[in-house]
Amino acid sequence: MAAASAVSVLLVAAERNRWHRLPSLLLPPRTWVWRQRTMKYTTATGRNITKVLIANRGEIACRVMRTAKKLGVQTVAVYSEADRNSMHVDMADEAYSIGPAPSQQSYLSMEKIIQVAKTSAAQAIHPGCGFLSENMEFAELCKQEGIIFIGPPPSAIRDMGIKSTSKSIMAAAGVPVVEGYHGEDQSDQCLKEHARRIGYPVMIKAVRGGGGKGMRIVRSEQEFQEQLESARREAKKSFNDDAMLIEKFVDTPRHVEVQVFGDHHGNAVYLFERDCSVQRRHQKIIEEAPAPGIKSEVRKKLGEAAVRAAKAVNYVGAGTVEFIMDSKHNFCFMEMNTRLQVEHPVTEMITGTDLVEWQLRIAAGEKIPLSQEEITLQGHAFEARIYAEDPSNNFMPVAGPLVHLSTPRADPSTRIETGVRQGDEVSVHYDPMIAKLVVWAADRQAALTKLRYSLRQYNIVGLPTNIDFLLNLSGHPEFEAGNVHTDFIPQHHKQLLLSRKAAAKESLCQAALGLILKEKAMTDTFTLQAHDQFSPFSSSSGRRLNISYTRNMTLKDGKNN
């Protein structure tokens, strides 16, 4: 698309956008041809978006930039001093420093980001995931400054961000909710009495919580006080608010979430569900879409409940409605994330959509590109989050340089979502995610086989990672059978974590290099002893003209290869 005719997401078809799927049994449904004739028109916002500021970093900033560039929209990056040489800075059309490494002084500084938007003449801000993406005050500030916030209205963030308020709204909208206490009386005695009334085990949750922070499971009244104080301390530190709610804890539940989209015209649709049950420390590690074992009628009920939830708060843009599901596939509302989720690519893979493009178009005032009937589900997708962390040490994050980084080859059914390159540093200041590996295939078993194959193609030297753990997890018989739940990792802990310490990747590289150097020395000796030292065949190295020369080496560590 020529830049002169496509510098705005408000340039749309004279007729409605028409999407035509390419006929193929081999490629995922995200391979589309998009035909449009361009013309301007007045939208609900009355604004052109020709330049967008991404108020985030890492892989999500890079992800948003790729779609913006595809649409001909210029991109503005912001960065802390620690990220000066990072990938998202290099990708952007413009980049501005916003302060020191600590996020409170950079990526969480609303005033600095608004100032950069004004300086760069960006009409919109995409908040990405985390940081300010679910901050009602930031969305309100954008509105006051006349900048388009690519997300829901502040009122929706407020109503769904406070868990006690969201539960009441959901119940009124006919969305099933978990039994619990969401009141204003925050005295220890009141909370303890409601926990006793609900019946143990219960879950203590921070009212403004997220990402597993400020959350504790209490299995008896004897441990209630200790867990309450612990949850309050963490909530105060993370959200500056230590208000708590109490809910009935569902043992070994599934975590199933539904992707929804709303627009400024009152429309809302769902794009099916994702299963995010497999977690460590209440944080997701592997996701898939659709959820395994869910019947079509349950899938439809989930989607319709999620749409009711979105419409109850006049939702606009991308959102995720999260449900707790029991073994009989009964589900209850847990919370709504008022932003694009980290795991959104699996939904894109099974529906043939670009959700960031939808965000940009809807923020500019367009209607949702597809009706509910036009959104179809095809195939199966997995996302594995590759972290710099030590699974044998309670998944503790690590920081340092990526000395070597090679990845699987990306293709239409394999995506590498990343914000780092070889030689970059995984910073101690931010999330230690290295990449998201996303794969698609025609069915779940084929997608799982592709996931494991792709994980084996990853080679990372310099930092410990969770790749071996992901391989063990994705190869576990119960995971293969789709028997997933939120206690999956603790339940199968011994099988998933290696009992012996694997050799460091640096040691393996040094061993391989040592063998090659030894072989070279032997080859040089052979060449000197040959009758014709200048013959290309005297080295006996095995090299051939016009053929890529590769070697496979098997190194033994004790009794193990």
Side-chain angles (χ1 to χ4, degrees), residues 1 38 51 129 146 171 182 199 206 230 245 266 275 334 365 439 509 515 541:
M1 198 184 297
T38 57
K51 184 182 286 188
C129 306
H182 315 122
S230 175
L245 59 84
D275 195 303
M334 182 169 60
V439 300
C509 290
L515 287 174
S541 65

Side-chain angles (χ1 to χ4, degrees), residues 254-289:
R254 290 175 66 175
H255 180 146
V256 178
E257 60 187 34
V258 179
Q259 177 71 61
V260 293
F261 254 90
D263 62 25
H264 292 283
H265 308 275
N267 303 306
V269 297
Y270 65 88
L271 291 93
F272 306 108
E273 82 286 352
R274 302 182 285 257
D275 195 303
C276 308
S277 299
V278 181
Q279 305 173 8
R280 86 287 191 257
R281 300 199 311 267
H282 300 296
Q283 293 184 324
K284 302 164 188 173
I285 189 172
I286 192 166
E287 301 98 349
E288 60 182 299

